[in-house]
Amino acid sequence: MQPFLHQTGFYTIRTCTGDRQQLRATIRFNRDHTIYAGHFPDRPITPGVCLYQLVKEIGMLGWQLPLRLLRAGSMKFLRLVPPTDPDIIVSLRADWTDETTVSVAATVQSGEHVAGKFQVVFSTLSYS
């Protein structure tokens, strides 16, 4: 259960607090990560798929559970996030259907601005 982007040094976690119903993490992106070399070399921005993956990984780390996407209700990318933005806030609100299924409403915030909003359903069961 090693979160991929965290493992590669894409971001560092400054704080992560919460419980089974909600999590809040403050992270900082690594502006020297290779992802930014291709997205985009002269004006790097954080890919939207990385913002989604960040939500998943904060859930995995905060709840100490494997998570796999069952359904994406909505994923809205509202603002570009350069790697130079200071502390990024990732907030998750969880509604557990049962012990293995969780609906998550999440936001990724950069400064005063919401950069992304996500409504997703995860399973804690591994692929078989």
PDB file of all heavy atoms in Angstrom, residues 63-97:
ATOM      1  N   TRP A  63      -6.205   6.957   6.346  1.00  0.00           N
ATOM      2  CA  TRP A  63      -7.018   5.857   6.858  1.00  0.00           C
ATOM      3  C   TRP A  63      -6.241   4.557   6.953  1.00  0.00           C
ATOM      4  O   TRP A  63      -6.762   3.552   7.440  1.00  0.00           O
ATOM      5  CB  TRP A  63      -8.261   5.669   6.000  1.00  0.00           C
ATOM      6  CG  TRP A  63      -9.217   6.815   6.100  1.00  0.00           C
ATOM      7  CD1 TRP A  63      -9.576   7.485   7.231  1.00  0.00           C
ATOM      8  CD2 TRP A  63      -9.928   7.422   5.025  1.00  0.00           C
ATOM      9  NE1 TRP A  63     -10.469   8.485   6.926  1.00  0.00           N
ATOM     10  CE2 TRP A  63     -10.705   8.468   5.570  1.00  0.00           C
ATOM     11  CE3 TRP A  63      -9.999   7.204   3.658  1.00  0.00           C
ATOM     12  CZ2 TRP A  63     -11.531   9.283   4.800  1.00  0.00           C
ATOM     13  CZ3 TRP A  63     -10.816   8.008   2.882  1.00  0.00           C
ATOM     14  CH2 TRP A  63     -11.574   9.033   3.459  1.00  0.00           C
ATOM     15  N   GLN A  64      -5.018   4.544   6.443  1.00  0.00           N
ATOM     16  CA  GLN A  64      -4.179   3.343   6.451  1.00  0.00           C
ATOM     17  C   GLN A  64      -4.905   2.158   5.816  1.00  0.00           C
ATOM     18  O   GLN A  64      -4.942   1.052   6.365  1.00  0.00           O
ATOM     19  CB  GLN A  64      -3.730   3.006   7.883  1.00  0.00           C
ATOM     20  CG  GLN A  64      -2.740   3.995   8.451  1.00  0.00           C
ATOM     21  CD  GLN A  64      -1.422   3.952   7.697  1.00  0.00           C
ATOM     22  OE1 GLN A  64      -0.713   2.954   7.728  1.00  0.00           O
ATOM     23  NE2 GLN A  64      -1.094   5.028   6.978  1.00  0.00           N
ATOM     24  N   LEU A  65      -5.498   2.435   4.633  1.00  0.00           N
ATOM     25  CA  LEU A  65      -6.231   1.420   3.883  1.00  0.00           C
ATOM     26  C   LEU A  65      -5.876   1.518   2.407  1.00  0.00           C
ATOM     27  O   LEU A  65      -5.636   2.619   1.902  1.00  0.00           O
ATOM     28  CB  LEU A  65      -7.742   1.649   4.015  1.00  0.00           C
ATOM     29  CG  LEU A  65      -8.379   1.437   5.374  1.00  0.00           C
ATOM     30  CD1 LEU A  65      -9.796   1.994   5.392  1.00  0.00           C
ATOM     31  CD2 LEU A  65      -8.386  -0.051   5.718  1.00  0.00           C
ATOM     32  N   PRO A  66      -5.888   0.395   1.698  1.00  0.00           N
ATOM     33  CA  PRO A  66      -5.749   0.490   0.240  1.00  0.00           C
ATOM     34  C   PRO A  66      -7.054   1.051  -0.329  1.00  0.00           C
ATOM     35  O   PRO A  66      -8.131   0.772   0.202  1.00  0.00           O
ATOM     36  CB  PRO A  66      -5.539  -0.963  -0.190  1.00  0.00           C
ATOM     37  CG  PRO A  66      -6.216  -1.771   0.880  1.00  0.00           C
ATOM     38  CD  PRO A  66      -6.061  -0.980   2.156  1.00  0.00           C
ATOM     39  N   LEU A  67      -6.969   1.862  -1.345  1.00  0.00           N
ATOM     40  CA  LEU A  67      -8.168   2.400  -1.993  1.00  0.00           C
ATOM     41  C   LEU A  67      -8.067   2.183  -3.490  1.00  0.00           C
ATOM     42  O   LEU A  67      -7.021   2.388  -4.094  1.00  0.00           O
ATOM     43  CB  LEU A  67      -8.314   3.905  -1.719  1.00  0.00           C
ATOM     44  CG  LEU A  67      -8.563   4.340  -0.280  1.00  0.00           C
ATOM     45  CD1 LEU A  67      -8.612   5.861  -0.205  1.00  0.00           C
ATOM     46  CD2 LEU A  67      -9.840   3.732   0.266  1.00  0.00           C
ATOM     47  N   ARG A  68      -9.180   1.766  -4.077  1.00  0.00           N
ATOM     48  CA  ARG A  68      -9.258   1.701  -5.541  1.00  0.00           C
ATOM     49  C   ARG A  68     -10.571   2.340  -5.958  1.00  0.00           C
ATOM     50  O   ARG A  68     -11.595   2.226  -5.283  1.00  0.00           O
ATOM     51  CB  ARG A  68      -9.112   0.281  -6.067  1.00  0.00           C
ATOM     52  CG  ARG A  68     -10.230  -0.639  -5.759  1.00  0.00           C
ATOM     53  CD  ARG A  68      -9.950  -2.026  -6.372  1.00  0.00           C
ATOM     54  NE  ARG A  68     -10.913  -2.983  -5.931  1.00  0.00           N
ATOM     55  CZ  ARG A  68     -12.013  -3.306  -6.601  1.00  0.00           C
ATOM     56  NH1 ARG A  68     -12.286  -2.746  -7.755  1.00  0.00           N
ATOM     57  NH2 ARG A  68     -12.852  -4.201  -6.117  1.00  0.00           N
ATOM     58  N   LEU A  69     -10.526   3.046  -7.062  1.00  0.00           N
ATOM     59  CA  LEU A  69     -11.679   3.788  -7.545  1.00  0.00           C
ATOM     60  C   LEU A  69     -12.760   2.840  -8.043  1.00  0.00           C
ATOM     61  O   LEU A  69     -12.506   1.983  -8.881  1.00  0.00           O
ATOM     62  CB  LEU A  69     -11.252   4.737  -8.669  1.00  0.00           C
ATOM     63  CG  LEU A  69     -12.331   5.652  -9.223  1.00  0.00           C
ATOM     64  CD1 LEU A  69     -12.778   6.665  -8.169  1.00  0.00           C
ATOM     65  CD2 LEU A  69     -11.810   6.375 -10.460  1.00  0.00           C
ATOM     66  N   LEU A  70     -13.963   3.011  -7.510  1.00  0.00           N
ATOM     67  CA  LEU A  70     -15.126   2.283  -8.017  1.00  0.00           C
ATOM     68  C   LEU A  70     -15.925   3.148  -8.978  1.00  0.00           C
ATOM     69  O   LEU A  70     -16.407   2.690 -10.007  1.00  0.00           O
ATOM     70  CB  LEU A  70     -16.050   1.852  -6.876  1.00  0.00           C
ATOM     71  CG  LEU A  70     -15.565   0.755  -5.948  1.00  0.00           C
ATOM     72  CD1 LEU A  70     -16.622   0.477  -4.881  1.00  0.00           C
ATOM     73  CD2 LEU A  70     -15.263  -0.517  -6.727  1.00  0.00           C
ATOM     74  N   ARG A  71     -16.066   4.447  -8.618  1.00  0.00           N
ATOM     75  CA  ARG A  71     -16.902   5.336  -9.428  1.00  0.00           C
ATOM     76  C   ARG A  71     -16.463   6.780  -9.205  1.00  0.00           C
ATOM     77  O   ARG A  71     -16.171   7.182  -8.085  1.00  0.00           O
ATOM     78  CB  ARG A  71     -18.357   5.151  -9.008  1.00  0.00           C
ATOM     79  CG  ARG A  71     -19.369   5.886  -9.805  1.00  0.00           C
ATOM     80  CD  ARG A  71     -20.820   5.519  -9.469  1.00  0.00           C
ATOM     81  NE  ARG A  71     -21.137   5.421  -8.046  1.00  0.00           N
ATOM     82  CZ  ARG A  71     -21.237   4.290  -7.348  1.00  0.00           C
ATOM     83  NH1 ARG A  71     -21.055   3.131  -7.925  1.00  0.00           N
ATOM     84  NH2 ARG A  71     -21.545   4.305  -6.069  1.00  0.00           N
ATOM     85  N   ALA A  72     -16.456   7.524 -10.280  1.00  0.00           N
ATOM     86  CA  ALA A  72     -16.186   8.963 -10.204  1.00  0.00           C
ATOM     87  C   ALA A  72     -17.476   9.688 -10.551  1.00  0.00           C
ATOM     88  O   ALA A  72     -17.912   9.669 -11.695  1.00  0.00           O
ATOM     89  CB  ALA A  72     -15.076   9.358 -11.166  1.00  0.00           C
ATOM     90  N   GLY A  73     -18.108  10.281  -9.546  1.00  0.00           N
ATOM     91  CA  GLY A  73     -19.346  11.025  -9.777  1.00  0.00           C
ATOM     92  C   GLY A  73     -19.069  12.327 -10.498  1.00  0.00           C
ATOM     93  O   GLY A  73     -19.713  12.672 -11.464  1.00  0.00           O
ATOM     94  N   SER A  74     -18.081  13.059 -10.009  1.00  0.00           N
ATOM     95  CA  SER A  74     -17.664  14.278 -10.697  1.00  0.00           C
ATOM     96  C   SER A  74     -16.243  14.626 -10.281  1.00  0.00           C
ATOM     97  O   SER A  74     -15.826  14.345  -9.152  1.00  0.00           O
ATOM     98  CB  SER A  74     -18.611  15.441 -10.397  1.00  0.00           C
ATOM     99  OG  SER A  74     -18.345  16.017  -9.153  1.00  0.00           O
ATOM    100  N   MET A  75     -15.535  15.196 -11.217  1.00  0.00           N
ATOM    101  CA  MET A  75     -14.185  15.696 -10.980  1.00  0.00           C
ATOM    102  C   MET A  75     -14.107  17.042 -11.673  1.00  0.00           C
ATOM    103  O   MET A  75     -14.159  17.111 -12.900  1.00  0.00           O
ATOM    104  CB  MET A  75     -13.142  14.744 -11.543  1.00  0.00           C
ATOM    105  CG  MET A  75     -13.086  13.415 -10.856  1.00  0.00           C
ATOM    106  SD  MET A  75     -11.704  12.449 -11.491  1.00  0.00           S
ATOM    107  CE  MET A  75     -11.861  10.976 -10.515  1.00  0.00           C
ATOM    108  N   LYS A  76     -14.026  18.111 -10.880  1.00  0.00           N
ATOM    109  CA  LYS A  76     -13.991  19.459 -11.447  1.00  0.00           C
ATOM    110  C   LYS A  76     -12.643  20.089 -11.143  1.00  0.00           C
ATOM    111  O   LYS A  76     -12.237  20.182  -9.980  1.00  0.00           O
ATOM    112  CB  LYS A  76     -15.112  20.313 -10.861  1.00  0.00           C
ATOM    113  CG  LYS A  76     -16.485  19.818 -11.227  1.00  0.00           C
ATOM    114  CD  LYS A  76     -17.554  20.707 -10.649  1.00  0.00           C
ATOM    115  CE  LYS A  76     -18.922  20.150 -11.015  1.00  0.00           C
ATOM    116  NZ  LYS A  76     -20.003  20.953 -10.482  1.00  0.00           N
ATOM    117  N   PHE A  77     -11.982  20.522 -12.206  1.00  0.00           N
ATOM    118  CA  PHE A  77     -10.698  21.201 -12.073  1.00  0.00           C
ATOM    119  C   PHE A  77     -10.962  22.680 -12.305  1.00  0.00           C
ATOM    120  O   PHE A  77     -11.333  23.089 -13.398  1.00  0.00           O
ATOM    121  CB  PHE A  77      -9.699  20.615 -13.068  1.00  0.00           C
ATOM    122  CG  PHE A  77      -9.523  19.129 -12.866  1.00  0.00           C
ATOM    123  CD1 PHE A  77     -10.195  18.217 -13.668  1.00  0.00           C
ATOM    124  CD2 PHE A  77      -8.721  18.650 -11.850  1.00  0.00           C
ATOM    125  CE1 PHE A  77     -10.060  16.856 -13.468  1.00  0.00           C
ATOM    126  CE2 PHE A  77      -8.577  17.290 -11.636  1.00  0.00           C
ATOM    127  CZ  PHE A  77      -9.249  16.389 -12.447  1.00  0.00           C
ATOM    128  N   LEU A  78     -10.793  23.484 -11.260  1.00  0.00           N
ATOM    129  CA  LEU A  78     -11.243  24.864 -11.277  1.00  0.00           C
ATOM    130  C   LEU A  78     -10.126  25.896 -11.397  1.00  0.00           C
ATOM    131  O   LEU A  78     -10.393  27.052 -11.695  1.00  0.00           O
ATOM    132  CB  LEU A  78     -12.040  25.142  -9.989  1.00  0.00           C
ATOM    133  CG  LEU A  78     -13.204  24.181  -9.755  1.00  0.00           C
ATOM    134  CD1 LEU A  78     -13.757  24.342  -8.354  1.00  0.00           C
ATOM    135  CD2 LEU A  78     -14.287  24.397 -10.792  1.00  0.00           C
ATOM    136  N   ARG A  79      -8.899  25.489 -11.149  1.00  0.00           N
ATOM    137  CA  ARG A  79      -7.795  26.441 -11.159  1.00  0.00           C
ATOM    138  C   ARG A  79      -6.503  25.696 -11.444  1.00  0.00           C
ATOM    139  O   ARG A  79      -6.301  24.587 -10.970  1.00  0.00           O
ATOM    140  CB  ARG A  79      -7.703  27.115  -9.779  1.00  0.00           C
ATOM    141  CG  ARG A  79      -6.588  28.103  -9.645  1.00  0.00           C
ATOM    142  CD  ARG A  79      -6.559  28.692  -8.215  1.00  0.00           C
ATOM    143  NE  ARG A  79      -5.520  29.690  -8.084  1.00  0.00           N
ATOM    144  CZ  ARG A  79      -4.257  29.422  -7.800  1.00  0.00           C
ATOM    145  NH1 ARG A  79      -3.856  28.182  -7.620  1.00  0.00           N
ATOM    146  NH2 ARG A  79      -3.370  30.400  -7.691  1.00  0.00           N
ATOM    147  N   LEU A  80      -5.621  26.334 -12.202  1.00  0.00           N
ATOM    148  CA  LEU A  80      -4.297  25.758 -12.433  1.00  0.00           C
ATOM    149  C   LEU A  80      -3.500  25.848 -11.137  1.00  0.00           C
ATOM    150  O   LEU A  80      -3.584  26.838 -10.412  1.00  0.00           O
ATOM    151  CB  LEU A  80      -3.569  26.519 -13.532  1.00  0.00           C
ATOM    152  CG  LEU A  80      -4.226  26.493 -14.915  1.00  0.00           C
ATOM    153  CD1 LEU A  80      -3.421  27.345 -15.885  1.00  0.00           C
ATOM    154  CD2 LEU A  80      -4.351  25.073 -15.425  1.00  0.00           C
ATOM    155  N   VAL A  81      -2.716  24.806 -10.864  1.00  0.00           N
ATOM    156  CA  VAL A  81      -1.904  24.777  -9.650  1.00  0.00           C
ATOM    157  C   VAL A  81      -0.438  24.611 -10.031  1.00  0.00           C
ATOM    158  O   VAL A  81      -0.001  23.513 -10.367  1.00  0.00           O
ATOM    159  CB  VAL A  81      -2.330  23.629  -8.708  1.00  0.00           C
ATOM    160  CG1 VAL A  81      -1.496  23.648  -7.435  1.00  0.00           C
ATOM    161  CG2 VAL A  81      -3.807  23.692  -8.398  1.00  0.00           C
ATOM    162  N   PRO A  82       0.330  25.707  -9.990  1.00  0.00           N
ATOM    163  CA  PRO A  82       1.763  25.570 -10.253  1.00  0.00           C
ATOM    164  C   PRO A  82       2.454  24.922  -9.051  1.00  0.00           C
ATOM    165  O   PRO A  82       1.965  25.032  -7.915  1.00  0.00           O
ATOM    166  CB  PRO A  82       2.232  27.011 -10.453  1.00  0.00           C
ATOM    167  CG  PRO A  82       1.203  27.868  -9.835  1.00  0.00           C
ATOM    168  CD  PRO A  82      -0.080  27.084  -9.814  1.00  0.00           C
ATOM    169  N   PRO A  83       3.585  24.260  -9.294  1.00  0.00           N
ATOM    170  CA  PRO A  83       4.280  23.603  -8.183  1.00  0.00           C
ATOM    171  C   PRO A  83       4.873  24.596  -7.187  1.00  0.00           C
ATOM    172  O   PRO A  83       5.293  24.199  -6.097  1.00  0.00           O
ATOM    173  CB  PRO A  83       5.376  22.800  -8.880  1.00  0.00           C
ATOM    174  CG  PRO A  83       5.613  23.512 -10.166  1.00  0.00           C
ATOM    175  CD  PRO A  83       4.279  24.077 -10.559  1.00  0.00           C
ATOM    176  N   THR A  84       4.893  25.859  -7.542  1.00  0.00           N
ATOM    177  CA  THR A  84       5.433  26.876  -6.648  1.00  0.00           C
ATOM    178  C   THR A  84       4.410  27.379  -5.638  1.00  0.00           C
ATOM    179  O   THR A  84       4.775  28.106  -4.709  1.00  0.00           O
ATOM    180  CB  THR A  84       5.947  28.075  -7.470  1.00  0.00           C
ATOM    181  OG1 THR A  84       4.888  28.535  -8.312  1.00  0.00           O
ATOM    182  CG2 THR A  84       7.152  27.674  -8.316  1.00  0.00           C
ATOM    183  N   ASP A  85       3.131  27.010  -5.814  1.00  0.00           N
ATOM    184  CA  ASP A  85       2.126  27.417  -4.828  1.00  0.00           C
ATOM    185  C   ASP A  85       2.531  26.859  -3.464  1.00  0.00           C
ATOM    186  O   ASP A  85       2.915  25.695  -3.367  1.00  0.00           O
ATOM    187  CB  ASP A  85       0.739  26.903  -5.203  1.00  0.00           C
ATOM    188  CG  ASP A  85       0.047  27.794  -6.219  1.00  0.00           C
ATOM    189  OD1 ASP A  85       0.691  28.718  -6.743  1.00  0.00           O
ATOM    190  OD2 ASP A  85      -1.144  27.555  -6.492  1.00  0.00           O
ATOM    191  N   PRO A  86       2.425  27.695  -2.432  1.00  0.00           N
ATOM    192  CA  PRO A  86       2.746  27.175  -1.091  1.00  0.00           C
ATOM    193  C   PRO A  86       1.684  26.174  -0.664  1.00  0.00           C
ATOM    194  O   PRO A  86       0.852  25.775  -1.464  1.00  0.00           O
ATOM    195  CB  PRO A  86       2.744  28.433  -0.230  1.00  0.00           C
ATOM    196  CG  PRO A  86       1.892  29.398  -0.966  1.00  0.00           C
ATOM    197  CD  PRO A  86       2.011  29.066  -2.422  1.00  0.00           C
ATOM    198  N   ASP A  87       1.682  25.844   0.566  1.00  0.00           N
ATOM    199  CA  ASP A  87       0.842  24.785   1.123  1.00  0.00           C
ATOM    200  C   ASP A  87      -0.500  24.589   0.424  1.00  0.00           C
ATOM    201  O   ASP A  87      -1.312  25.486   0.318  1.00  0.00           O
ATOM    202  CB  ASP A  87       0.599  25.057   2.602  1.00  0.00           C
ATOM    203  CG  ASP A  87       1.886  24.992   3.390  1.00  0.00           C
ATOM    204  OD1 ASP A  87       2.869  24.410   2.893  1.00  0.00           O
ATOM    205  OD2 ASP A  87       1.922  25.523   4.504  1.00  0.00           O
ATOM    206  N   ILE A  88      -0.691  23.370  -0.037  1.00  0.00           N
ATOM    207  CA  ILE A  88      -1.924  22.922  -0.674  1.00  0.00           C
ATOM    208  C   ILE A  88      -2.724  22.167   0.390  1.00  0.00           C
ATOM    209  O   ILE A  88      -2.177  21.314   1.092  1.00  0.00           O
ATOM    210  CB  ILE A  88      -1.617  21.993  -1.872  1.00  0.00           C
ATOM    211  CG1 ILE A  88      -0.679  22.660  -2.875  1.00  0.00           C
ATOM    212  CG2 ILE A  88      -2.885  21.491  -2.523  1.00  0.00           C
ATOM    213  CD1 ILE A  88      -1.210  23.880  -3.553  1.00  0.00           C
ATOM    214  N   ILE A  89      -4.010  22.476   0.505  1.00  0.00           N
ATOM    215  CA  ILE A  89      -4.871  21.820   1.489  1.00  0.00           C
ATOM    216  C   ILE A  89      -5.747  20.795   0.766  1.00  0.00           C
ATOM    217  O   ILE A  89      -6.427  21.130  -0.202  1.00  0.00           O
ATOM    218  CB  ILE A  89      -5.797  22.833   2.206  1.00  0.00           C
ATOM    219  CG1 ILE A  89      -5.006  23.990   2.795  1.00  0.00           C
ATOM    220  CG2 ILE A  89      -6.666  22.121   3.246  1.00  0.00           C
ATOM    221  CD1 ILE A  89      -4.145  23.639   3.961  1.00  0.00           C
ATOM    222  N   VAL A  90      -5.708  19.570   1.232  1.00  0.00           N
ATOM    223  CA  VAL A  90      -6.543  18.497   0.699  1.00  0.00           C
ATOM    224  C   VAL A  90      -7.509  18.084   1.804  1.00  0.00           C
ATOM    225  O   VAL A  90      -7.080  17.669   2.886  1.00  0.00           O
ATOM    226  CB  VAL A  90      -5.698  17.291   0.250  1.00  0.00           C
ATOM    227  CG1 VAL A  90      -6.584  16.214  -0.355  1.00  0.00           C
ATOM    228  CG2 VAL A  90      -4.615  17.721  -0.735  1.00  0.00           C
ATOM    229  N   SER A  91      -8.814  18.226   1.538  1.00  0.00           N
ATOM    230  CA  SER A  91      -9.837  17.894   2.531  1.00  0.00           C
ATOM    231  C   SER A  91     -10.736  16.797   1.994  1.00  0.00           C
ATOM    232  O   SER A  91     -11.217  16.886   0.862  1.00  0.00           O
ATOM    233  CB  SER A  91     -10.694  19.124   2.848  1.00  0.00           C
ATOM    234  OG  SER A  91      -9.889  20.172   3.342  1.00  0.00           O
ATOM    235  N   LEU A  92     -10.947  15.768   2.803  1.00  0.00           N
ATOM    236  CA  LEU A  92     -11.816  14.646   2.437  1.00  0.00           C
ATOM    237  C   LEU A  92     -12.916  14.502   3.479  1.00  0.00           C
ATOM    238  O   LEU A  92     -12.637  14.527   4.679  1.00  0.00           O
ATOM    239  CB  LEU A  92     -11.028  13.341   2.388  1.00  0.00           C
ATOM    240  CG  LEU A  92     -10.136  13.060   1.188  1.00  0.00           C
ATOM    241  CD1 LEU A  92      -8.949  13.979   1.147  1.00  0.00           C
ATOM    242  CD2 LEU A  92      -9.687  11.617   1.214  1.00  0.00           C
ATOM    243  N   ARG A  93     -14.147  14.351   2.997  1.00  0.00           N
ATOM    244  CA  ARG A  93     -15.296  14.008   3.835  1.00  0.00           C
ATOM    245  C   ARG A  93     -15.762  12.626   3.403  1.00  0.00           C
ATOM    246  O   ARG A  93     -16.026  12.410   2.223  1.00  0.00           O
ATOM    247  CB  ARG A  93     -16.422  15.022   3.632  1.00  0.00           C
ATOM    248  CG  ARG A  93     -16.705  15.881   4.819  1.00  0.00           C
ATOM    249  CD  ARG A  93     -17.951  16.737   4.680  1.00  0.00           C
ATOM    250  NE  ARG A  93     -18.819  16.377   3.568  1.00  0.00           N
ATOM    251  CZ  ARG A  93     -19.077  17.168   2.529  1.00  0.00           C
ATOM    252  NH1 ARG A  93     -18.575  18.358   2.439  1.00  0.00           N
ATOM    253  NH2 ARG A  93     -19.865  16.755   1.560  1.00  0.00           N
ATOM    254  N   ALA A  94     -15.876  11.713   4.341  1.00  0.00           N
ATOM    255  CA  ALA A  94     -16.177  10.324   4.010  1.00  0.00           C
ATOM    256  C   ALA A  94     -17.557   9.908   4.499  1.00  0.00           C
ATOM    257  O   ALA A  94     -17.972  10.272   5.592  1.00  0.00           O
ATOM    258  CB  ALA A  94     -15.129   9.405   4.621  1.00  0.00           C
ATOM    259  N   ASP A  95     -18.230   9.134   3.661  1.00  0.00           N
ATOM    260  CA  ASP A  95     -19.499   8.508   4.026  1.00  0.00           C
ATOM    261  C   ASP A  95     -19.327   7.017   3.749  1.00  0.00           C
ATOM    262  O   ASP A  95     -19.354   6.581   2.599  1.00  0.00           O
ATOM    263  CB  ASP A  95     -20.644   9.103   3.203  1.00  0.00           C
ATOM    264  CG  ASP A  95     -21.987   8.500   3.550  1.00  0.00           C
ATOM    265  OD1 ASP A  95     -22.114   7.882   4.625  1.00  0.00           O
ATOM    266  OD2 ASP A  95     -22.925   8.641   2.741  1.00  0.00           O
ATOM    267  N   TRP A  96     -19.127   6.242   4.807  1.00  0.00           N
ATOM    268  CA  TRP A  96     -18.869   4.812   4.679  1.00  0.00           C
ATOM    269  C   TRP A  96     -20.183   4.071   4.496  1.00  0.00           C
ATOM    270  O   TRP A  96     -21.030   4.064   5.374  1.00  0.00           O
ATOM    271  CB  TRP A  96     -18.131   4.298   5.915  1.00  0.00           C
ATOM    272  CG  TRP A  96     -16.740   4.839   5.994  1.00  0.00           C
ATOM    273  CD1 TRP A  96     -16.358   6.019   6.570  1.00  0.00           C
ATOM    274  CD2 TRP A  96     -15.568   4.247   5.463  1.00  0.00           C
ATOM    275  NE1 TRP A  96     -15.010   6.200   6.416  1.00  0.00           N
ATOM    276  CE2 TRP A  96     -14.493   5.113   5.743  1.00  0.00           C
ATOM    277  CE3 TRP A  96     -15.312   3.073   4.772  1.00  0.00           C
ATOM    278  CZ2 TRP A  96     -13.197   4.839   5.362  1.00  0.00           C
ATOM    279  CZ3 TRP A  96     -14.012   2.791   4.391  1.00  0.00           C
ATOM    280  CH2 TRP A  96     -12.966   3.665   4.682  1.00  0.00           C
ATOM    281  N   THR A  97     -20.353   3.433   3.334  1.00  0.00           N
ATOM    282  CA  THR A  97     -21.530   2.623   3.050  1.00  0.00           C
ATOM    283  C   THR A  97     -21.483   1.339   3.867  1.00  0.00           C
ATOM    284  O   THR A  97     -22.484   0.891   4.407  1.00  0.00           O
ATOM    285  CB  THR A  97     -21.594   2.273   1.546  1.00  0.00           C
ATOM    286  OG1 THR A  97     -21.498   3.471   0.801  1.00  0.00           O
ATOM    287  CG2 THR A  97     -22.865   1.545   1.195  1.00  0.00           C
TER     288      THR A  97
END
